[in-house]
Amino acid sequence: MPIYEYACENCGHSFEKLIFRRTDDIVKCPKCGSDKVRKLISPVKTASTSGTSTCSTGSRKGFS
C-alpha cells in the first residue's frame, strides 16, 4: 500500500495519505477540508540492511 504526498491548492498544506485501494480517489485536505489537492512527486527510498548496496556480482557501483 503506497503512501502518497499531496499539497492543498486551497490552503497550501502538504500532507501524506496511505492509499488502500484504487477506489480511494477522493483525497481531502485534513487542514481545510478542500478536495482541490494535487499529488506531489516524492523521492523514493529503498531499504538496505548493510548501509551499502551491492549488486549480485559484488560490484559497489551497480555494474560490473
Side-chain angles (χ1 to χ4, degrees):
M1 292 176 274
I3 297 175
Y4 292 104
E5 188 174 3
Y6 293 90
C8 179
E9 295 179 356
N10 188 41
C11 71
H13 179 68
S14 295
F15 60 97
E16 296 176 341
K17 179 163 175 67
L18 176 66
I19 302 296
F20 292 101
R21 55 189 178 273
R22 290 183 181 237
T23 58
D24 291 342
D25 291 335
I26 300 172
V27 177
K28 293 189 176 188
C29 175
K31 187 173 181 181
C32 72
S34 174
D35 61 352
K36 293 182 180 183
V37 298
R38 61 183 159 85
K39 192 185 297 185
L40 302 176
I41 298 174
S42 303
V44 176
K45 181 176 180 175
T46 58
S48 175
T49 57
S50 65
T52 60
S53 61
T54 59
C55 67
S56 61
T57 61
S59 171
R60 290 185 183 267
K61 295 182 180 178
F63 298 101
S64 58

